[in-house]
């Protein structure tokens, strides 16, 4: 059985020479986002820093390390001199399946493996349409594969002729998706398309996901159809007390109960609160815990952060709130020097400048916040929230989305290093994706990525003070949806799924499993899955099912449902960090 791991090969798309931050946009960032979101394990090989070598593709026993190679390498880019014969050997001699996308097929070896010949690339107005009925790759898709994607007057059409591959889809009479059977369990698949936008088309994302199953034979995946993650910013922050154009009374326990907790409860929904645990105390000129504040502000408004805290506690106890980090103070680290001080200033003077109320980019002085200062604020936020609520925040969102972007001061990089698991994109020890500032990927709300939705009416506690009934209307706007939390999304993205090195374990000797996967849940990043359990899809290709006649599944050693079909739902019960899945 092929190992359950994909090698993503790129040329020079990864602009971070240290291979940590992915902020490059384009198909590379999209593919990494998709694979993290699906939970499909992968490594990245960058040909601008590494030379292809047989050892990249095999373990110390000479067996394949990967079930499939995903080829996203433009070999006309800035890459090291490469021997592409190594790639042909990995596919043809080691039996690693091969998937190439878009126009990344310029290399002759790549065309030879795929069984197609590259002719050129020109604009064309036609849609990509299914041409061979009944293929596994395109099963269940509309015959027009452009459905649901952007309507463009034309797209770059990569023009090929097929020599040894089956044409599954075509664009204006030319092959667009091809598949070649190299052996009974090895496939070479080309998903053609305009590399700039092909994955904005939902069908092509689905084809990519199904291609992994077809290439390896099986996949354990997470999909997010009709999943919404509600977020709300700002509870605990100082803007509502001091910034004239963002002025309002902090929510009381009663408001939180009536307008948030009750509707959430009755819809079995979760709201991720991005909260601010530190408050700038004018008299002391230092940061103090937000939730001790009870005063009448300079506008004559009574502020009761103690009541806000009680409301948050109540929602956490009811299981409807998750607490995430919105920074430590939502304020500049330097509130003293010119053009300040902000401390003690008049509400009609410096205090009315929104630039003071941003924490991770100095919007008052138009300069970045140095890395060490940002890191201090990130860790203070984490530690104070933990102290105040007994919960460590897993996701982060910078106040006002004001962030520093230089390599040294990059806010996403620092948040990832601080142990956060999400800020508009995946954050982890392996890499960080600089997600879109508004927390929503351009394909959020699809099968592939949940919709991260600022809670109505405005994604802030402020909106509830103005239009308290607006929040509950979200459940009418998204009927039948699952309102999950950021913690759960982080958990799936961080679950480690790998094929057991020795599937023939212990008492199973008389009848060893055909496939055994070990699913490890990190106690930090995956805590929501450990607490609530997790639910996945085991996806089997037609060719694998024909060859092995799978009969049944064992989840954590206990026999469960049969697995004769293409899809089987696999559920891991709560309370475990190590899980196993066996296919017999
Ligand atoms: Zn904010």
């Amino acid at each position: 059985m092929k190992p359950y791991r994909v090698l993503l090969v790129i040329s020079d798309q990864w602009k971070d020479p240290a291979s940590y931050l992915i902020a490059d946009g384009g198909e590379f960032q999209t593919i990494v986002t998709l694979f993290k979101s699906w939970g499909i394990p992968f490594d990245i090989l960058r040909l601008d820093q590494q030379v292809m070598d047989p050892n990249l593709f095999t373990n110390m026993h000479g067996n394949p390390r990967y079930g499939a190679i995903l080829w996203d390498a433009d070999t006309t880019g800035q890459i090291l001199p490469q021997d592409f014969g190594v790639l042909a050997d990995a596919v043809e001699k080691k039996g690693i399946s091969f998937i190439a996308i878009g126009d990344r097929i310029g290399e002759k070896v790549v065309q030879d493996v795929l069984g197609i010949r590259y002719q050129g690339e020109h604009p064309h107005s036609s849609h990509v349409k299914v041409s061979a009925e009944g293929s596994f790759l395109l099963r269940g898709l509309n015959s027009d594969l452009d459905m649901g994607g952007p309507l463009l007057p034309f797209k770059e059409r990569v023009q090929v002729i097929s020599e040894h591959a089956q044409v599954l889809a075509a664009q204006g009479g030319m092959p667009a998706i091809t598949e070649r059977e190299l052996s009974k369990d090895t496939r070479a698949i080309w998903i053609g398309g305009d590399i700039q936008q092909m994955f904005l088309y939902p069908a092509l994302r689905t084809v990519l996901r199904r291609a992994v199953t077809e290439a390896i034979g099986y996949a354990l995946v997470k999909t997010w159809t009709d999943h919404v993650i509600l977020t709300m910013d700002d509870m605990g922050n100082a803007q509502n007390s001091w910034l004239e154009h963002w002025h309002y009374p902090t929510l009381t326990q009663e408001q939180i109960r009536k307008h948030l907790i009750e509707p959430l409860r009755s819809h079995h929904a979760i709201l991720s609160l991005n909260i601010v645990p530190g408050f700038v105390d004018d008299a002391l000129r230092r940061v103090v815990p937000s939730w001790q504040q009870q005063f009448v502000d300079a506008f004559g408004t009574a502020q009761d952060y103690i009541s806000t805290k009680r409301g948050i506690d109540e929602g956490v106890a009811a299981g409807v709130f998750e607490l995430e980090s919105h920074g430590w103070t939502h304020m500049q680290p330097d509130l003293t020097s010119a053009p300040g001080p902000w401390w003690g200033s008049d509400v009609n003077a410096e205090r009315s400048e929104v630039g003071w109320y941003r924490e991770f980019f100095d919007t008052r002085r138009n300069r970045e916040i140095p890395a060490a200062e940002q890191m201090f604020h990130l860790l203070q936020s984490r530690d104070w929230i933990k102290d105040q609520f007994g919960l460590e925040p897993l996701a982060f969102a910078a106040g006002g989305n004001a962030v520093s972007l230089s390599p040294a001061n990059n806010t996403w990089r620092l948040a990832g290093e601080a142990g956060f698991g999400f800020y508009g994109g995946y954050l982890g020890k392996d890499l960080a994706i600089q997600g879109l500032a508004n927390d929503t990927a351009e394909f959020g709300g699809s099968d592939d990525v949940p919709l991260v939705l600022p809670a109505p009416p405005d994604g802030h506690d402020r909106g509830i003070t103005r239009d308290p009934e607006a929040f509950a209307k979200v459940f009418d706007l998204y009927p039948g949806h699952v309102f999950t939390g950021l913690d759960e999304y982080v958990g799936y993205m961080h679950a480690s799924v790998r094929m057991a090195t020795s599937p023939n374990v212990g008492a199973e000797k008389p009848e060893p499993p055909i496939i055994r996967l070990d699913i490890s849940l990190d106690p930090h990043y995956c805590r929501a899955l450990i607490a609530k359990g997790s639910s996945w899809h085991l996806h089997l290709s037609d060719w694998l099912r024909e060859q092995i006649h799978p009969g049944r599944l064992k989840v954590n050693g206990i026999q469960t449902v049969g697995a004769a079909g293409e899809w089987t739902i696999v559920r891991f019960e709560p309370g475990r960090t190590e899980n196993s899945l066996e296919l017999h």
Side-chain angles (χ1 to χ4, degrees):
M1 222 33 71
K2 290 189 195 307
Y4 186 48
R5 197 165 189 86
V6 175
L7 181 66
L8 170 59
V9 186
I10 58 170
S11 56
D12 57 354
Q13 291 103 313
W14 202 344
K15 300 307 175 206
D16 180 2
S19 301
Y20 183 69
L21 183 73
I22 298 179
D24 314 291
E27 88 297 333
F28 168 53
Q29 183 164 337
T30 298
I31 290 169
V32 174
T33 297
L34 291 173
F35 274 66
K36 287 292 184 191
S37 205
W38 293 332
I40 297 177
F42 66 100
D43 293 324
I44 299 170
L45 169 62
R46 48 187 302 173
L47 299 181
D48 62 340
Q49 289 194 4
Q50 278 181 287
V51 173
M52 272 197 290
D53 174 283
N55 284 98
L56 282 166
F57 301 101
T58 53
N59 63 19
M60 67 177 174
H61 307 293
N63 298 322
R65 295 176 67 199
Y66 300 99
I69 295 164
L70 174 54
W71 190 260
D72 180 24
D74 171 8
T75 50
T76 64
Q78 298 289 315
I79 62 171
L80 299 177
Q82 303 286 347
D83 171 10
F84 292 98
V86 173
L87 176 68
D89 283 354
V91 176
E92 285 159 7
K93 296 192 179 143
K94 292 298 174 183
I96 302 176
S97 286
F98 186 78
I99 304 164
I101 57 168
D103 61 358
R104 311 314 202 197
I105 54 172
E107 210 52 48
K108 182 174 181 299
V109 166
V110 169
Q111 297 169 34
D112 290 346
V113 167
L114 293 168
I116 58 175
R117 204 54 61 200
Y118 177 78
Q119 304 291 302
E121 197 175 341
H122 300 285
H124 207 267
S125 64
S126 53
H127 288 196
V128 180
K129 299 224 166 125
V130 175
S131 51
E133 295 298 329
S135 76
F136 178 83
L137 274 189
L138 307 182
R139 184 172 297 156
L141 295 172
N142 190 285
S143 64
D144 181 349
L145 298 176
D146 281 24
M147 280 269 287
L151 285 171
L152 303 169
F154 64 87
K155 304 187 289 288
E156 283 297 301
R157 181 174 62 171
V158 182
Q159 301 178 185
V160 306
I161 51 172
S162 172
E163 291 178 342
H164 306 290
Q166 193 192 356
V167 178
L168 304 182
Q171 185 185 359
M174 292 186 179
I177 298 173
T178 64
E179 178 170 4
R180 182 183 179 201
E181 197 174 317
L182 292 165
S183 72
K184 68 181 175 53
D185 66 351
T186 308
R187 299 289 183 275
I189 295 163
W190 175 58
I191 306 168
D194 184 337
I195 198 73
Q196 300 297 330
Q197 34 234 346
M198 56 188 288
F199 293 120
L200 295 179
Y201 292 85
L204 291 191
R205 297 197 297 270
T206 302
V207 172
L208 178 61
R209 177 161 44 79
R210 294 184 69 88
V212 171
T213 306
E214 175 75 350
I216 300 179
Y218 62 94
L220 185 71
V221 295
K222 183 68 190 173
T223 50
W224 299 95
T225 313
D226 294 339
H227 277 65
V228 177
I229 296 172
L230 293 170
T231 67
M232 180 176 285
D233 289 0
D234 275 2
M235 286 194 200
N237 92 79
Q239 287 175 110
N240 55 296
S241 293
W242 298 122
L243 176 60
E244 190 277 331
H245 69 256
W246 197 258
H247 172 252
Y248 54 92
T250 184
L251 295 180
T252 63
Q253 182 179 16
E254 291 66 35
Q255 285 175 305
I256 291 171
R257 180 187 301 143
K258 180 158 184 238
H259 302 301
L260 299 177
I261 295 172
E262 285 175 3
L264 286 164
R265 267 184 119 140
S266 58
H267 293 89
H268 307 288
I270 289 172
L271 173 63
S272 292
L273 296 178
N274 296 321
I275 62 169
V276 184
F279 191 89
V280 280
D281 186 303
D282 240 355
L284 298 171
R285 294 211 168 191
R286 58 178 293 179
V287 179
V288 299
S290 301
W291 323 106
Q292 298 170 357
Q293 302 297 313
Q294 215 172 26
F295 62 100
V296 175
D297 66 26
F299 304 97
T301 302
Q303 300 285 359
D304 187 354
Y305 290 77
I306 295 173
S307 183
T308 308
K309 166 81 160 57
R310 289 201 192 106
I312 297 174
D313 284 336
E314 190 177 323
V316 170
V320 299
F321 287 168
E322 279 178 353
L323 304 186
E324 312 295 1
S325 166
H326 197 34
W328 179 34
T329 60
H330 216 297
M331 302 290 292
Q332 285 302 305
D334 175 5
L335 293 170
T336 305
S337 60
W342 174 89
W343 298 112
S345 62
D346 191 277
V347 288
N348 294 312
E350 277 305 315
R351 234 172 180 77
S352 64
E353 293 287 348
V354 71
W356 292 109
Y357 302 83
R358 300 289 180 263
E359 193 172 357
F360 296 91
F361 181 85
D362 188 339
T363 44
R364 188 68 188 110
R365 304 174 185 92
N366 194 29
R367 64 190 184 203
E368 293 196 336
I369 307 282
E373 187 75 84
Q374 288 189 64
M375 184 57 88
F376 176 67
H377 280 241
L378 285 163
L379 297 180
Q380 287 287 95
S381 173
R382 180 197 68 188
D383 292 348
W384 285 35
I385 290 172
K386 203 171 168 185
D387 267 6
Q388 292 164 352
F389 296 95
L391 289 171
E392 187 171 334
L394 265 186
F396 166 76
N401 281 314
V403 289
S404 298
L405 294 175
S406 71
N409 299 328
N410 185 280
T411 305
W412 277 268
R413 178 175 72 77
L414 294 164
E417 287 174 3
F420 291 100
F422 184 80
Y423 174 22
Y426 169 93
L427 305 176
K429 293 196 173 77
D430 52 343
L431 58 88
I433 299 172
Q434 186 173 304
L436 295 184
N438 205 18
D439 286 0
T440 310
E442 46 203 336
F443 34 78
S446 65
D447 294 349
D448 310 299
V449 173
L451 176 65
V452 179
L453 181 73
D458 68 350
H460 295 82
D461 52 356
R462 175 178 185 259
I464 304 302
T465 66
R466 301 180 157 211
D467 186 2
E469 308 299 330
F471 172 74
K473 289 177 188 155
V474 74
F475 301 111
D476 300 327
L477 294 172
Y478 296 89
H481 282 57
V482 177
F483 291 83
T484 188
L486 277 177
D487 284 5
E488 234 169 303
Y489 187 38
V490 169
Y492 282 101
M493 290 194 290
H494 280 269
S496 158
V497 182
R498 64 198 183 281
M499 192 162 90
T501 44
S502 172
N504 195 351
V505 285
E508 295 298 340
K509 279 208 175 103
E511 195 198 349
I514 295 157
I515 300 165
R516 180 184 156 113
L517 294 174
D518 289 338
I519 297 91
S520 301
L521 302 177
D522 181 277
H524 171 67
Y525 292 112
C526 307
R527 66 177 183 209
L529 307 195
I530 298 168
K532 298 176 184 179
S534 62
S535 176
W536 302 74
H537 280 103
L538 178 67
H539 194 205
L540 299 178
S541 70
D542 291 349
W543 64 259
L544 185 79
R545 285 193 293 146
E546 279 164 24
Q547 287 176 21
I548 65 172
H549 306 291
R552 57 204 165 81
L553 282 182
K554 281 190 178 179
V555 175
N556 290 327
I558 295 163
Q559 188 169 320
T560 60
V561 287
E566 184 185 330
W567 293 99
T568 309
I569 293 172
V570 176
R571 190 168 161 77
F572 300 113
E573 69 263 43
R576 299 178 66 120
T577 55
E578 298 296 330
N579 294 277
S580 71
L581 173 65
E582 290 173 8
L583 179 63
H584 288 256

